[in-house]
């Protein structure tokens, strides 16, 4: 692999490169050359093999350690936490439901899509830091895995990001994060999620075709762009098709 000199030219480039290297090392700990290793090679060896500086390797390992995949111990090296590496669908990390559906062997798609412009009530105004009465775009859809309904989502966006006329031209079967980034020029950098087990109202349960005894997982979320600006408020109802893991670390 050729050394990525251009990517290491500045702090931002270096951060991007280290994240890419962290992702590559995680893949290699799962299904690559390090899938049976208890420890990763020394920094100098990793740097030489991957064609980047030791600083990039150090930053990548620090990222993997923050996520719980490895532990760096003085005198021992970088120890791989096999149980954490094996975890899928971590709720404490960014996840993409289409990827999860494909990983389960199904084709993801969406239907029952509706787009409506509303005015913000006090709750929406608080969540999105708007004034009461400001225009808000509401997008509702059902996500299926093959023929099986698995998610019902309701997303609220400030209309200044995507007005109703522009929204009518969008394909909201796509992940809304992609639309935010590609159409609105907004990148979501963090999301605060509150989870709870709920029954959901009769219309949602009918849409998701869940039996009477089955609860839904509600993710009540606010997504933020840079400078902690709220750009989307979401209510997503997940069926038990999904299984999530959560890593809790003692700080």
């Amino acid at each position: 692999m050729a050394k990525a000199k251009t990517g290491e030219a500045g702090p931002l480039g270096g951060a991007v490169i280290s994240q890419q290297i962290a992702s590559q090392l995680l893949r290699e700990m799962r299904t690559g050359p390090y899938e049976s290793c208890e420890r990763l090679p020394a920094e100098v060896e990793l740097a030489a093999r991957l064609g980047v500086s030791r600083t990039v390797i150090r930053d990548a390992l620090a990222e993997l350690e923050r996520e719980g995949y490895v532990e760096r111990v003085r005198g021992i090296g970088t120890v791989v936490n096999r149980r954490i590496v094996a975890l899928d669908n971590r709720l404490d990390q960014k996840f993409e439901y289409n990827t999860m559906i494909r990983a389960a062997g199904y084709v993801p798609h969406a239907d029952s899509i509706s787009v409506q412009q509303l005015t913000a009530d006090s709750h929406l105004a608080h969540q999105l830091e708007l004034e009461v009465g400001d225009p808000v775009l509401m997008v509702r859809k059902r996500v299926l895995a093959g023929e099986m309904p698995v998610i019902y989502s309701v997303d609220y966006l400030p209309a200044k990001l995507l007005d109703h006329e522009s929204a009518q031209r969008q394909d909201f079967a796509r992940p809304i994060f992609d639309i935010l980034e590609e159409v609105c020029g907004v990148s979501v950098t963090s999301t605060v999620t509150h989870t709870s087990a709920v029954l959901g109202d009769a219309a949602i349960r009918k849409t998701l075709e869940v039996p009477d005894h089955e609860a839904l997982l509600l993710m009540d979320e606010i997504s933020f762009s840079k400078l902690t600006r709220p750009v989307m408020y979401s209510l997503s109802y997940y069926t038990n098709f999904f299984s999530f893991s959560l890593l809790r670390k003692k700080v």
Side-chain angles (χ1 to χ4, degrees):
M1 176 178 174
K3 187 171 181 178
K5 294 181 180 179
T6 302
E8 295 186 49
L12 179 59
V16 171
I17 292 294
S18 65
Q19 291 165 8
Q20 292 173 346
I21 294 298
S23 297
Q24 180 175 343
L25 288 172
L26 178 57
R27 288 194 299 272
E28 292 180 346
M29 285 188 286
R30 284 174 168 162
T31 58
Y34 304 131
E35 65 178 323
S36 300
C37 294
E38 294 183 1
R39 289 181 290 174
L40 292 179
E43 289 179 5
V44 63
E45 183 179 337
L46 288 172
R49 187 178 78 82
L50 297 174
V52 295
S53 69
R54 286 187 66 180
T55 299
V56 169
I57 293 296
R58 196 172 297 118
D59 290 344
L61 293 177
E63 176 69 20
L64 291 172
E65 187 170 37
R66 281 192 295 272
E67 299 294 346
Y69 296 115
V70 302
E71 183 177 355
R72 294 180 294 174
V73 183
R74 186 180 296 275
I76 296 177
T78 303
V79 180
V80 179
N81 189 331
R82 281 285 151 209
R83 291 196 177 190
I84 304 304
V85 168
L87 289 179
D88 292 321
N89 307 334
R90 280 177 54 179
L91 198 56
D92 56 310
Q93 295 180 331
K94 181 180 178 182
F95 64 87
E96 208 286 296
Y97 57 75
N98 282 338
T99 301
M100 295 166 61
I101 292 170
R102 291 190 188 97
Y106 295 86
V107 176
H109 59 104
D111 67 5
S112 304
I113 300 169
S114 69
V115 181
Q116 182 180 355
Q117 185 160 304
L118 311 172
T119 56
D121 59 15
S122 58
H123 179 65
L124 283 178
H126 173 72
Q127 301 292 53
L128 293 171
E129 295 182 5
L130 301 171
E131 298 293 332
V132 172
D134 281 353
V136 174
L137 197 70
M138 178 177 68
V139 180
R140 293 181 289 190
K141 67 181 175 183
R142 182 176 71 164
V143 178
L144 301 96
E147 300 303 315
M148 188 185 340
V150 294
I151 304 171
Y152 182 77
S153 67
V154 186
D155 299 310
Y156 300 92
L157 300 90
K160 61 187 177 184
L161 294 180
L162 190 68
D163 61 45
H164 190 256
E165 184 178 343
S166 298
Q168 294 297 327
R169 299 194 294 267
Q170 304 306 318
D171 176 13
F172 282 102
R174 302 169 58 211
I176 200 161
F177 290 108
D178 292 349
I179 294 172
L180 277 172
E181 186 154 359
E182 297 168 15
V183 179
C184 308
V186 173
S187 295
V188 171
T189 57
S190 62
T191 300
V192 174
T193 303
H194 298 279
T195 61
S196 56
V198 300
L199 287 175
D201 63 33
I204 291 173
R205 296 186 66 80
K206 182 177 181 180
T207 299
L208 288 174
E209 301 175 8
V210 293
D212 292 341
H213 65 276
E214 186 177 302
L216 299 168
L217 175 65
L218 170 62
M219 293 192 188
D220 183 320
E221 301 180 305
I222 304 176
S223 297
F224 298 87
S225 64
K226 291 180 179 179
L227 303 178
T228 65
R229 183 164 62 102
V231 293
M232 184 167 64
Y233 173 58
S234 304
L235 297 170
S236 301
Y237 299 83
Y238 287 72
T239 71
N240 64 7
F241 173 87
F242 296 94
S243 176
F244 295 99
S245 302
L246 177 65
L247 175 63
R248 300 171 63 192
K249 295 181 67 177
K250 183 177 180 180
V251 179

mmCIF file of all heavy atoms in Angstrom, residues 1 18-30 33-34 49-50 64:
data_model
loop_
_atom_site.group_PDB
_atom_site.id
_atom_site.type_symbol
_atom_site.label_atom_id
_atom_site.label_comp_id
_atom_site.label_asym_id
_atom_site.label_seq_id
_atom_site.Cartn_x
_atom_site.Cartn_y
_atom_site.Cartn_z
ATOM 1 N N MET A 1 0.852 -1.193 0.000
ATOM 2 C CA MET A 1 0.000 0.000 0.000
ATOM 3 C C MET A 1 0.881 1.233 0.000
ATOM 4 O O MET A 1 1.775 1.368 0.831
ATOM 5 C CB MET A 1 -0.885 -0.009 1.250
ATOM 6 C CG MET A 1 -1.745 1.229 1.402
ATOM 7 S SD MET A 1 -2.805 1.079 2.879
ATOM 8 C CE MET A 1 -3.520 2.708 2.876
ATOM 9 N N SER A 18 -6.441 8.335 9.947
ATOM 10 C CA SER A 18 -6.404 7.474 11.129
ATOM 11 C C SER A 18 -7.726 6.732 11.301
ATOM 12 O O SER A 18 -7.736 5.559 11.708
ATOM 13 C CB SER A 18 -6.072 8.292 12.385
ATOM 14 O OG SER A 18 -7.087 9.226 12.666
ATOM 15 N N GLN A 19 -8.861 7.385 10.970
ATOM 16 C CA GLN A 19 -10.149 6.709 11.043
ATOM 17 C C GLN A 19 -10.242 5.585 10.015
ATOM 18 O O GLN A 19 -10.782 4.515 10.295
ATOM 19 C CB GLN A 19 -11.280 7.720 10.841
ATOM 20 C CG GLN A 19 -11.440 8.698 11.999
ATOM 21 C CD GLN A 19 -12.286 9.902 11.647
ATOM 22 O OE1 GLN A 19 -12.887 9.960 10.570
ATOM 23 N NE2 GLN A 19 -12.320 10.879 12.527
ATOM 24 N N GLN A 20 -9.701 5.830 8.829
ATOM 25 C CA GLN A 20 -9.688 4.793 7.797
ATOM 26 C C GLN A 20 -8.830 3.605 8.231
ATOM 27 O O GLN A 20 -9.208 2.447 8.032
ATOM 28 C CB GLN A 20 -9.176 5.372 6.482
ATOM 29 C CG GLN A 20 -10.111 6.387 5.845
ATOM 30 C CD GLN A 20 -9.498 7.073 4.634
ATOM 31 O OE1 GLN A 20 -8.295 6.989 4.402
ATOM 32 N NE2 GLN A 20 -10.324 7.774 3.871
ATOM 33 N N ILE A 21 -7.681 3.915 8.833
ATOM 34 C CA ILE A 21 -6.799 2.841 9.301
ATOM 35 C C ILE A 21 -7.462 2.071 10.437
ATOM 36 O O ILE A 21 -7.378 0.836 10.498
ATOM 37 C CB ILE A 21 -5.444 3.416 9.748
ATOM 38 C CG1 ILE A 21 -4.687 4.006 8.548
ATOM 39 C CG2 ILE A 21 -4.590 2.337 10.432
ATOM 40 C CD1 ILE A 21 -4.339 3.010 7.464
ATOM 41 N N ALA A 22 -8.148 2.778 11.351
ATOM 42 C CA ALA A 22 -8.855 2.100 12.435
ATOM 43 C C ALA A 22 -9.903 1.145 11.874
ATOM 44 O O ALA A 22 -10.034 0.003 12.333
ATOM 45 C CB ALA A 22 -9.498 3.126 13.365
ATOM 46 N N SER A 23 -10.654 1.610 10.865
ATOM 47 C CA SER A 23 -11.669 0.755 10.238
ATOM 48 C C SER A 23 -11.032 -0.459 9.574
ATOM 49 O O SER A 23 -11.548 -1.582 9.657
ATOM 50 C CB SER A 23 -12.472 1.554 9.209
ATOM 51 O OG SER A 23 -13.175 2.603 9.822
ATOM 52 N N GLN A 24 -9.890 -0.244 8.911
ATOM 53 C CA GLN A 24 -9.205 -1.353 8.248
ATOM 54 C C GLN A 24 -8.707 -2.376 9.268
ATOM 55 O O GLN A 24 -8.859 -3.591 9.079
ATOM 56 C CB GLN A 24 -8.032 -0.833 7.418
ATOM 57 C CG GLN A 24 -7.264 -1.952 6.703
ATOM 58 C CD GLN A 24 -6.178 -1.424 5.774
ATOM 59 O OE1 GLN A 24 -6.177 -0.255 5.408
ATOM 60 N NE2 GLN A 24 -5.259 -2.295 5.392
ATOM 61 N N LEU A 25 -8.127 -1.886 10.360
ATOM 62 C CA LEU A 25 -7.630 -2.804 11.389
ATOM 63 C C LEU A 25 -8.773 -3.592 12.020
ATOM 64 O O LEU A 25 -8.621 -4.787 12.312
ATOM 65 C CB LEU A 25 -6.860 -2.034 12.456
ATOM 66 C CG LEU A 25 -5.485 -1.507 12.033
ATOM 67 C CD1 LEU A 25 -4.898 -0.595 13.110
ATOM 68 C CD2 LEU A 25 -4.526 -2.668 11.751
ATOM 69 N N LEU A 26 -9.921 -2.935 12.218
ATOM 70 C CA LEU A 26 -11.066 -3.657 12.775
ATOM 71 C C LEU A 26 -11.511 -4.761 11.824
ATOM 72 O O LEU A 26 -11.783 -5.894 12.257
ATOM 73 C CB LEU A 26 -12.213 -2.687 13.043
ATOM 74 C CG LEU A 26 -13.497 -3.301 13.589
ATOM 75 C CD1 LEU A 26 -13.240 -4.056 14.883
ATOM 76 C CD2 LEU A 26 -14.555 -2.220 13.805
ATOM 77 N N ARG A 27 -11.572 -4.454 10.532
ATOM 78 C CA ARG A 27 -11.932 -5.493 9.556
ATOM 79 C C ARG A 27 -10.928 -6.633 9.611
ATOM 80 O O ARG A 27 -11.309 -7.819 9.557
ATOM 81 C CB ARG A 27 -11.969 -4.902 8.138
ATOM 82 C CG ARG A 27 -13.153 -3.977 7.867
ATOM 83 C CD ARG A 27 -13.313 -3.727 6.379
ATOM 84 N NE ARG A 27 -12.135 -3.087 5.807
ATOM 85 C CZ ARG A 27 -11.934 -1.782 5.743
ATOM 86 N NH1 ARG A 27 -12.840 -0.943 6.241
ATOM 87 N NH2 ARG A 27 -10.850 -1.281 5.180
ATOM 88 N N GLU A 28 -9.655 -6.312 9.733
ATOM 89 C CA GLU A 28 -8.618 -7.344 9.733
ATOM 90 C C GLU A 28 -8.616 -8.149 11.029
ATOM 91 O O GLU A 28 -8.181 -9.302 11.046
ATOM 92 C CB GLU A 28 -7.257 -6.705 9.488
ATOM 93 C CG GLU A 28 -7.131 -6.139 8.075
ATOM 94 C CD GLU A 28 -5.781 -5.502 7.801
ATOM 95 O OE1 GLU A 28 -5.020 -5.256 8.773
ATOM 96 O OE2 GLU A 28 -5.483 -5.243 6.617
ATOM 97 N N MET A 29 -9.127 -7.567 12.112
ATOM 98 C CA MET A 29 -9.268 -8.328 13.350
ATOM 99 C C MET A 29 -10.461 -9.269 13.287
ATOM 100 O O MET A 29 -10.550 -10.238 14.030
ATOM 101 C CB MET A 29 -9.413 -7.380 14.545
ATOM 102 C CG MET A 29 -8.108 -6.705 14.965
ATOM 103 S SD MET A 29 -8.259 -5.781 16.516
ATOM 104 C CE MET A 29 -9.210 -4.345 15.977
ATOM 105 N N ARG A 30 -11.392 -8.959 12.381
ATOM 106 C CA ARG A 30 -12.585 -9.789 12.258
ATOM 107 C C ARG A 30 -12.407 -10.901 11.220
ATOM 108 O O ARG A 30 -12.725 -12.063 11.492
ATOM 109 C CB ARG A 30 -13.788 -8.920 11.891
ATOM 110 C CG ARG A 30 -14.325 -8.117 13.062
ATOM 111 C CD ARG A 30 -15.421 -7.168 12.657
ATOM 112 N NE ARG A 30 -16.120 -6.620 13.827
ATOM 113 C CZ ARG A 30 -16.873 -5.549 13.811
ATOM 114 N NH1 ARG A 30 -17.057 -4.872 12.674
ATOM 115 N NH2 ARG A 30 -17.471 -5.133 14.909
ATOM 116 N N PRO A 33 -5.960 -10.793 8.457
ATOM 117 C CA PRO A 33 -4.738 -11.409 8.990
ATOM 118 C C PRO A 33 -4.644 -11.430 10.505
ATOM 119 O O PRO A 33 -3.823 -12.176 11.060
ATOM 120 C CB PRO A 33 -3.620 -10.537 8.382
ATOM 121 C CG PRO A 33 -4.269 -9.256 7.982
ATOM 122 C CD PRO A 33 -5.669 -9.615 7.619
ATOM 123 N N TYR A 34 -5.469 -10.636 11.188
ATOM 124 C CA TYR A 34 -5.380 -10.600 12.650
ATOM 125 C C TYR A 34 -6.588 -11.237 13.324
ATOM 126 O O TYR A 34 -6.806 -11.045 14.522
ATOM 127 C CB TYR A 34 -5.238 -9.142 13.129
ATOM 128 C CG TYR A 34 -4.063 -8.414 12.503
ATOM 129 C CD1 TYR A 34 -4.237 -7.151 11.937
ATOM 130 C CD2 TYR A 34 -2.796 -8.990 12.459
ATOM 131 C CE1 TYR A 34 -3.171 -6.489 11.348
ATOM 132 C CE2 TYR A 34 -1.727 -8.339 11.870
ATOM 133 C CZ TYR A 34 -1.922 -7.089 11.315
ATOM 134 O OH TYR A 34 -0.861 -6.429 10.725
ATOM 135 N N ARG A 49 3.651 -1.800 7.313
ATOM 136 C CA ARG A 49 2.781 -2.628 6.468
ATOM 137 C C ARG A 49 1.692 -1.797 5.801
ATOM 138 O O ARG A 49 1.359 -2.020 4.632
ATOM 139 C CB ARG A 49 2.129 -3.740 7.303
ATOM 140 C CG ARG A 49 1.329 -4.740 6.440
ATOM 141 C CD ARG A 49 0.743 -5.860 7.258
ATOM 142 N NE ARG A 49 -0.443 -5.446 7.970
ATOM 143 C CZ ARG A 49 -1.665 -5.384 7.426
ATOM 144 N NH1 ARG A 49 -1.845 -5.660 6.138
ATOM 145 N NH2 ARG A 49 -2.704 -5.027 8.136
ATOM 146 N N LEU A 50 1.145 -0.817 6.535
ATOM 147 C CA LEU A 50 0.031 -0.041 6.002
ATOM 148 C C LEU A 50 0.484 1.215 5.277
ATOM 149 O O LEU A 50 -0.321 1.920 4.668
ATOM 150 C CB LEU A 50 -0.932 0.320 7.134
ATOM 151 C CG LEU A 50 -1.601 -0.884 7.816
ATOM 152 C CD1 LEU A 50 -2.423 -0.437 9.010
ATOM 153 C CD2 LEU A 50 -2.476 -1.647 6.834
ATOM 154 N N LEU A 64 -9.530 2.790 18.337
ATOM 155 C CA LEU A 64 -9.990 1.429 18.597
ATOM 156 C C LEU A 64 -10.086 1.152 20.090
ATOM 157 O O LEU A 64 -10.977 0.431 20.544
ATOM 158 C CB LEU A 64 -9.042 0.423 17.931
ATOM 159 C CG LEU A 64 -9.071 0.397 16.398
ATOM 160 C CD1 LEU A 64 -7.946 -0.489 15.873
ATOM 161 C CD2 LEU A 64 -10.424 -0.091 15.884
#
